[in-house]
Amino acid sequence: MRGFKLLAVGFLLVYPALSLADARDVPGSASWYFYVDLEQMRAGGPGKAVYDWLRDEVMAEVKDDSGLDIEREVDRLIAYSMDDDQGVLVVEGNFSQTTRDIAMAFIASGGDINPLKSSGKTYFRYAGNDENDEEVAYDAGNIKFQIDGLKKESYISTDVRNKIIVTASEGQMQELLASNGKIPGRGGRKGALMVLSAEKALVQAGMRASALGADAWDSNVLKNTEQAALLIAATADKLAIEAQLTTIEADMAESLASVVRGLISLASFSDDTDAETLAVLRGTRVESKGNSLTVSVAIDPGLVVATLRD
């Protein structure tokens, strides 16, 4: 668990996050994205139960291990990668000097602390580390970085107010610094990566199947998948979860819908299925239209937390 949480710390500090209201502003050419709104979760409602689990099971240990106080400092984060595999992460919040020290300690672990300038703002080059397994000292203590995704160079800035920005390329960093962390957005780009949205979106994610590589799919059905998107949002008293995918052929969407309905039916008649799970299964909607398949369900947040704890 500690390794996972240190990975989360590194992810927050090392990939690019943006100044976004939600994932609808992800560039149209992105190959994948992930957005989470911790501020919306902690505000109350059905998202609060999930937030409390994250606070107790993840955030507390991250704080103990590294000094990074996610609960007090991080409000939102979004990460995405472009078609050319150029990743970006922007983390938004009210960051303490301790967190800035952690970021600088990480930069120092890559061996390059010479400041660079663009649009009147400072950023740093993380030179990369083949080992990526160093214990780094900073003013508040020590932290051991174990982040496989950061063996190559990245660019990091804490000079935009209330943001930590991390990019895979220097050009991306310079563009974001010039716009104070605001990205161009989707525009009307044909074939843009789809984004499912809601008034109280908690988590949004999406990807193109091509982002996994040609050999990533074992299933013949999924080999015909073009895009997939996920949304978790807060409703009156439940978490609304919706997943949508588009297929290359319309017939494949209906075939996949039939498979999902069949699996739900089998699980519904199983003696091992408890009453709460049965209610969720019976409330799951599976719809196909053209080359699009949508699966949606509303779940009691207590059941989600119980599942996470198990």
Side-chain angles (χ1 to χ4, degrees):
M1 177 63 78
R2 184 176 185 274
F4 167 78
K5 291 165 184 174
L6 288 178
L7 179 63
V9 174
F11 181 79
L12 289 176
L13 292 176
V14 182
Y15 279 95
L18 312 177
S19 171
L20 301 179
D22 61 22
R24 286 175 290 187
D25 287 333
V26 169
S29 58
S31 57
W32 63 262
Y33 65 88
F34 175 79
Y35 168 86
V36 61
D37 191 334
L38 294 176
E39 187 176 46
Q40 182 71 253
M41 287 185 187
R42 69 170 70 101
K48 186 63 165 55
V50 178
Y51 181 85
D52 289 344
W53 179 85
L54 287 170
R55 181 194 61 211
D56 296 339
E57 297 296 326
V58 179
M59 298 179 195
E61 190 168 338
V62 167
K63 184 178 179 181
D64 290 342
D65 289 342
S66 69
L68 178 61
D69 194 340
I70 296 175
E71 182 177 12
R72 289 182 177 273
E73 299 187 36
V74 178
D75 292 335
R76 284 167 293 278
L77 70 87
I78 187 165
Y80 67 83
S81 181
M82 307 304 288
D83 289 340
D84 54 2
D85 200 28
Q86 295 293 297
V88 176
L89 170 77
V90 180
V91 185
E92 187 171 344
N94 186 17
F95 301 109
S96 66
Q97 186 58 49
T98 294
T99 296
R100 295 175 186 277
D101 290 344
I102 293 172
M104 285 304 300
F106 181 82
I107 294 166
S109 75
D112 191 348
I113 57 172
N114 295 312
L116 303 169
K117 287 283 188 178
S118 182
S119 300
K121 299 179 181 67
T122 301
Y123 64 101
F124 296 87
R125 174 177 173 266
Y126 171 75
N129 187 327
D130 289 338
E131 297 299 327
N132 239 351
D133 192 15
E134 297 185 0
E135 187 166 278
V136 179
Y138 64 101
D139 287 347
N142 296 288
I143 180 170
K144 188 174 183 180
F145 292 105
Q146 297 173 306
I147 307 161
D148 290 338
L150 291 177
K151 293 179 181 178
K152 298 180 180 179
E153 70 175 13
S154 302
Y155 295 85
I156 304 172
S157 177
T158 62
D159 214 16
V160 174
R161 188 168 182 261
N162 294 334
K163 295 176 180 67
I164 293 175
I165 301 174
V166 187
T167 65
S169 76
E170 190 168 15
Q172 288 173 313
M173 176 59 72
Q174 291 172 346
E175 288 178 7
L176 286 168
L177 292 178
S179 63
N180 285 318
K182 183 175 177 59
I183 57 173
R186 296 162 58 78
R189 184 180 185 275
K190 184 178 180 181
L193 189 58
M194 65 179 173
V195 175
L196 303 178
S197 59
E199 181 180 354
K200 295 183 178 181
L202 305 177
V203 176
Q204 293 165 285
M207 69 180 301
R208 301 180 194 279
S210 59
L212 295 178
D215 300 326
W217 301 113
D218 292 329
S219 165
N220 287 328
V221 174
L222 294 179
K223 283 179 180 177
N224 287 279
T225 298
E226 197 169 56
Q227 293 188 31
L230 171 72
L231 168 69
I232 302 176
T235 61
D237 58 353
K238 292 187 178 181
L239 293 172
I241 301 175
E242 180 177 342
Q244 187 176 127
L245 63 81
T246 58
T247 59
I248 297 171
E249 301 292 339
D251 290 346
M252 192 61 67
E254 179 52 41
S255 296
L256 187 54
S258 181
V259 170
V260 174
R261 293 188 193 103
L263 291 173
I264 290 173
S265 295
L266 287 173
S268 297
F269 288 107
S270 171
D271 293 335
D272 297 329
T273 303
D274 58 56
E276 287 183 319
T277 303
L278 182 60
V280 170
L281 291 172
R282 289 177 174 172
T284 301
R285 297 179 59 189
V286 181
E287 300 174 325
S288 65
K289 184 177 181 180
N291 68 335
S292 177
L293 167 68
T294 301
V295 180
S296 58
V297 64
I299 303 179
D300 185 287
L303 179 59
V304 174
V305 171
T307 302
L308 289 171
R309 286 174 177 162
D310 292 341

